[in-house]
């Protein structure tokens, strides 16, 4: 007798005894071990009164949710024990595989059969059951389940769905389980700028359930690569830290101490926080991988440093006496510096966050990332270090010779040459061993020698040699007649960059990026720009921001990384504008195809500038304003001279009583720029300007009350008045007052500050744009969502107002006006590679017009394609660029294949601006048989012509061309094209009539000729 049979008999006996004692009971006699189809389930049950027997299936899922399914229920009458046999009908998704008819199910954790005896009036809870029994079924894995043989015919749509599932590979939605917080490299200047990153909850319910469950017991790892060039100058410098919505440092926060040691801070929530400092130090000029592993309350910090083939490992394990709280979707992460702390000086490599696992980690398994190996920063450092050492030896050697008075005046290679040509007779002048040098370093050695003997050792430093090499390179480039000279000058630029001249690094980067005179090498261009940006070279920061914004040269598109670079130069732009220098120029967006603007360019000796000065002396206030503005900011080709500008401000304020000039003069007096500070006098002129309702003067007086008098009430009153008059400065200052809690009678309000910053930025204020971008890059909880893309655009706009960019643009324009096309191309290319759209257009224009006869045709073609294309990516591209890019696509200059649809799209954009050339080119496309698509006709407002014949479309296009703008140059060709269309249309419509008329004329011509001849004869025979 089997155990199950014995169990059944015992249950029957027990239940029969219940009749005597009237006990409520229900039992599952033969539950299956797993969900399977067609199982006959036996249930024993008895009741004292009329009741209901209910069979349920309780399913729990791995997501933490559960579901109760009613399978069967029946009534129970008082009496003897009964046994009911029924077929167990579990849901198909629990028993079978999904096949298109049976849907997919969530991952099932457990399945429990529950049978219960219930009386009417009782609720549906477990406690309300008079009796119950349960059995656990072990669910099968998905692929271990059987396939169901469906009895009904499957519809065609279901068959197609099944087929598509078979043909398509199942793929889970992408989840951020392993997050690349930084996949590229970041050159940090050691200032308060860094990369801000935020994470989102998982989309999958199960992963999100596990993440929330592990908030107080994390199991994760952070891994970052760092190359420190200088130890922290403050108590702490930022590496990677996490800031919550209350602006507190939370888990994890890694800093670098002044001593070179790490400082790790871990948040424990209500149990407090803790910090610890490992004993090991981060070395200088070595790539190191720093890893932080969190295993519940255990924190492991390890560091592997790689120097050539040598590896150094340090590790520490810290056990905490409190829980670890890590909610990675709360607040934001910062790599480097930020609002509250400066960054480490050096380079950040790839940074990976493993959100829910800790990968295997060993010293031997540490592999330097490809991006670090490809860039080869250590290779540059090693070569540069050797060159610097050699130049230092030469400086000391020549200094010693200069002191001893033994300088012979000839270089080592001259002595060697004499020895070779004079029958190997030794020269009288012998060089010492330290004077020998490699051929490509001879120019640098000569410069060292020249500087030492002319200025002495004190002025012959490595930076001075670098500046001299850069100046020599520029002089050689300015004299160049073709681009072939670039390959000869490039070594001088690289040596200058090695000796700390960041301008040389930037120019070399541009050469390698554009392929101007040398082979294009994007990785080397990136390295040189990175070296210059890390040393705070403004245009290099602008260039790297552009590269990561657009994802050029194979670099990943990373708006957060681009923002870090743009924010740096944008901040410097505001400071530079407060401290103008001769090296800065006002940024002017001048296009080389705009002759009207080019004719306005002048200089101190130009007749236009002299005429303006004469008009200013005669009392023309606008001329006085223009001359003063040119001199103060260095506009339109005039060199900046603040003292001369102040004299014009003074004359316009005192003599002409002009409100603009009174305001300008009051500002320079208030700040003491170009004139001795005189606050009472400044207030006098500012009040006079305000009395004439000049809005900037109102703002200036408010600033005086806030800055000098600390009278915030009066300041706010004036700023509110100016804000109503659309003052950008007033909106900015009101935002600052709200942000810092200085608004009288009101607490600090970051939301109100944001609204005023937004108004200020939209009115064109640079500082307002920067403040707005700072808020959008992190957001304000409950008020402002994070908008990194918009933040990037605003800070880029601010960065492109930098005066050093203006200086490069002015050099390019001056060279163009002097017909020095090579120098113009070079300087415009430096600005173009930094992402400045007008410069990109001008580079393409110079290549397009073949103004440099020495340009290789393939380079010129690639130059036009690249820079016209990049110009189109700007917010408002020049119409000429739209036309020319359309022409390049039409001609198939890229790959020999014409792209008429793309060309038509660009011509359409030009035509929508009412440009005659756009309409004309669309007409030419239509004449060649290209059928304009409906989308183009809709954009042009000509959708009704979609089914019209070609002649009607051509007539409409050429009429628009003829009637657009007041352009006399386009009127004639558009009219001729329209006449040609009408002529061909006339010829087509009346061709039969014309042929008939011609035939009649040919037949009638002899008869008519004879009649006329007869008449003439009669007249000749008549008497006189």
């Amino acid at each position: 007798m089997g155990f199950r049979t014995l169990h059944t008999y015992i249950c029957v006996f027990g239940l029969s005894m219940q009749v005597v004692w009237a006990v409520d009971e229900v039992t599952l006699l033969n539950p299956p071990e797993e969900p399977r189809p067609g199982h006959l389930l036996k249930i024993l049950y008895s009741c004292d009164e009329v009741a209901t027997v209910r069979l349920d299936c309780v399913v729990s899922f791995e997501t933490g949710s559960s579901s109760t399914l009613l399978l069967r229920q029946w009534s129970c009458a008082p009496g003897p024990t009964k046994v009911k046999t029924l077929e167990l009908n579990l849901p198909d998704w629990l028993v079978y595989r999904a096949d298109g008819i049976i849907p997919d199910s969530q991952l099932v954790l457990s399945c429990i059969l529950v049978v219960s005896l219930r009386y009417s009036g009782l609720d549906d809870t477990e406690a309300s059951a008079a009796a119950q029994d349960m059995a656990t079924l072990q669910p099968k894995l998905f692929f271990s389940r059987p396939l169901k043989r469906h009895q009904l015919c499957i519809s065609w749509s279901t068959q197609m769905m099944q087929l598509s599932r078979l043909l398509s590979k199942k793929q889970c939605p992408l989840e951020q389980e392993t997050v690349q917080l930084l996949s590229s490299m970041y050159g940090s200047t050691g200032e308060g700028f860094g990369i801000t990153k935020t994470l989102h909850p998982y989309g999958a319910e199960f992963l999100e359930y596990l993440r929330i469950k592990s908030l107080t017991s994390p199991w994760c790892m952070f891994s970052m690569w760092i190359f420190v060039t200088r130890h922290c100058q403050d108590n702490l410098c930022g590496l990677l830290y996490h800031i919550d919505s209350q602006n507190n440092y939370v888990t994890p926060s890694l800093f670098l101490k002044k001593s070179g040691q790490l400082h790790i801070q871990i948040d424990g929530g209500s149990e407090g926080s803790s910090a610890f400092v490992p004993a090991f130090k981060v070395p200088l000029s070595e790539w190191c991988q720093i890893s932080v592993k969190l295993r519940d309350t255990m924190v492991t910090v390890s560091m592997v440093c790689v120097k050539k083939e040598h590896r150094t490992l340090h590790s520490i394990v810290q056990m905490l006496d409190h829980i670890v709280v890590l909610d990675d979707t709360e607040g934001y992460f910062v790599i480097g510096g930020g609002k509250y702390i400066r960054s480490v000086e050096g380079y950040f490599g790839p940074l990976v966050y493993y959100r829910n696992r800790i990968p295997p980690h060993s010293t031997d398994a540490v592999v330097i990332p490809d991006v670090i190996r490809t860039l080869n920063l250590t290779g540059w450092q090693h070569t540069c270090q050797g060159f610097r050492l050699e130049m230092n030896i030469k400086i000391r050697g020549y200094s010693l010779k200069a002191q001893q008075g033994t300088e012979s005046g000839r270089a080592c290679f001259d002595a060697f040459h004499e020895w070779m040509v004079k029958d190997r007779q030794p020269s009288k002048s012998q060089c010492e061993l330290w004077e020998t040098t490699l051929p490509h370093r001879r120019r640098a050695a000569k410069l060292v020698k020249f500087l030492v003997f002319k200025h002495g050792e004190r002025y012959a430093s490595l930076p001075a040699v670098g500046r001299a090499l850069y100046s020599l390179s520029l002089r050689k480039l300015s004299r160049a007649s073709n681009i072939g000279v670039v390959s000869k000058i490039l070594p001088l630029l690289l040596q200058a960059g090695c000796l700390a001249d960041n301008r040389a690094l930037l120019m070399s980067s541009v050469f390698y990026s554009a392929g101007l005179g040398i082979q294009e090498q994007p990785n080397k261009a990136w390295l040189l720009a990175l070296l210059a940006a890390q040393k705070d070279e403004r245009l290099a920061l602008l260039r790297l921001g552009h590269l990561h914004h657009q994802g050029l040269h194979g670099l990943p598109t990373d708006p957060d990384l681009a923002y870090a670079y743009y924010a740096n130069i944008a901040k410097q732009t505001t400071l530079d504008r407060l401290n103008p220098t001769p090296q800065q120029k006002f940024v002017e967006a001048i296009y080389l195809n705009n002759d009207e603007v080019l004719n306005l360019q002048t200089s101190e000796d130009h007749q236009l500038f002299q005429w303006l000065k004469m008009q200013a002396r005669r009392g023309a206030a606008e001329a006085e304003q223009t001359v003063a503005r040119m001199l103060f900011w260095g506009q339109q080709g005039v060199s900046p001279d603040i003292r001369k500008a102040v004299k014009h401000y003074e004359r316009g304020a005192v003599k002409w009583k002009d409100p603009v000039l009174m305001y300008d003069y009051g500002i320079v007096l208030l700040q003491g720029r170009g004139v001795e500070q005189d606050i009472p006098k400044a207030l006098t002129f500012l009040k006079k300007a305000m009395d004439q309702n000049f809005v900037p003067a109102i703002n200036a007086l408010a600033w005086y009350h806030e800055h000098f008098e600390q009278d915030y009430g009066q300041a706010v009153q004036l700023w509110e008045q100016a804000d109503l008059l659309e003052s950008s400065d007033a909106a900015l200052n009101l935002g600052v007052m709200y942000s810092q809690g200085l608004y009288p009678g009101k607490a600090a309000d970051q939301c109100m500050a944001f609204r005023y910053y937004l108004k200020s930025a939209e009115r064109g204020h640079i500082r307002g744009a920067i403040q707005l971008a700072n808020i959008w890059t992190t957001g304000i909880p409950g008020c402002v969502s994070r908008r990194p893309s918009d933040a990037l655009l605003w800070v880029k706009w601010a960065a492109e107002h930098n005066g050093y960019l203006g200086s490069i643009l002015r050099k390019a324009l001056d060279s163009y006006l002097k017909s020095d096309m090579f120098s113009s191309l070079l300087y415009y290319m430096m600005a173009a590679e930094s992402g400045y759209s007008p410069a990109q257009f001008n580079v393409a224009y110079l290549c397009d017009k073949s103004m440099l006869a020495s340009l290789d045709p393939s380079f010129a073609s690639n130059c036009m394609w690249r820079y016209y294309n990049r110009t189109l990516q700007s917010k408002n591209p020049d119409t000429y660029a739209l036309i020319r890019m359309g022409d390049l696509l039409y001609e198939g200059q890229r790959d020999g294949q014409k792209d008429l649809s793309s060309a038509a799209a660009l011509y359409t954009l030009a035509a929508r601006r009412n440009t005659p050339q756009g309409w004309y080119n669309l007409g030419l496309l239509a004449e060649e048989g290209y059928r304009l698509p409906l989308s183009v006709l809709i954009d042009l407002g000509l959708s009704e012509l979609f089914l019209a014949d070609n002649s009607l479309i051509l007539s409409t296009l050429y009429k628009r061309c003829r009637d657009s703008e007041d352009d006399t140059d386009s009127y004639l060709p558009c009219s001729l094209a329209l006449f040609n269309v009408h002529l061909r249309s006339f010829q087509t419509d009346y061709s039969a009539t014309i042929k008939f008329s011609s035939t009649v004329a040919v037949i009638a011509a002899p008869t008519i000729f004879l009649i006329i001849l007869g008449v003439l004869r009669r007249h000749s025979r008549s008497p006189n």
Side-chain angles (χ1 to χ4, degrees), residues 561-611:
L561 177 54
Y563 179 88
Y565 288 119
Y566 280 133
N568 191 333
I569 185 174
K571 179 66 175 178
Q572 293 188 69
T573 299
T574 60
L575 300 176
D576 291 339
R577 289 169 74 89
L578 295 176
N579 300 283
T581 63
Q583 289 75 34
Q584 299 181 57
K585 293 287 193 290
F586 190 82
V587 176
E588 298 174 277
I590 298 175
Y591 293 83
L592 295 183
N593 66 329
N594 193 333
D595 294 332
E596 182 179 352
V597 175
L598 291 178
N599 292 333
L600 294 177
Q601 302 308 304
T602 181
S603 64
E604 291 84 345
D605 301 325
H606 194 274
Q607 59 183 4
L608 175 61
F609 186 71
Q610 296 299 324
W611 179 81

Side-chain angles (χ1 to χ4, degrees), residues 117-145:
L117 186 69
R118 301 172 182 272
Y119 289 101
S120 61
L122 296 178
D123 56 23
D124 239 4
T125 63
E126 181 182 340
S128 69
Q132 72 174 15
D133 189 19
M134 63 182 63
T136 301
L137 310 185
Q138 183 60 43
K140 283 187 176 182
L141 298 176
F142 177 79
F143 290 105
S144 299
R145 300 177 187 176

Side-chain angles (χ1 to χ4, degrees), residues 287-300:
W287 277 112
C288 296
Q289 184 192 43
I290 300 174
S291 301
V292 178
K293 304 173 187 175
L294 302 176
R295 296 185 181 93
D296 202 4
T297 61
M298 183 174 69
V299 182
T300 303

Side-chain angles (χ1 to χ4, degrees), residues 300-319:
T300 303
V301 181
S302 60
M303 181 177 73
V304 179
C305 295
V306 181
K307 189 173 185 179
K308 295 183 179 179
E309 300 301 324
H310 181 67
R311 294 170 182 252
T312 306
L313 171 66
H314 301 279
S315 184
I316 183 177
V317 177
Q318 184 77 17
M319 297 300 300

Side-chain angles (χ1 to χ4, degrees), residues 391-399 448 452 457 460-462 465:
M391 293 298 105
N392 264 325
I393 292 173
K394 284 179 169 46
I395 290 174
R396 295 193 186 106
Y398 285 127
S399 299
V448 169
V452 168
E457 183 182 6
S461 62
L462 291 181
V465 177

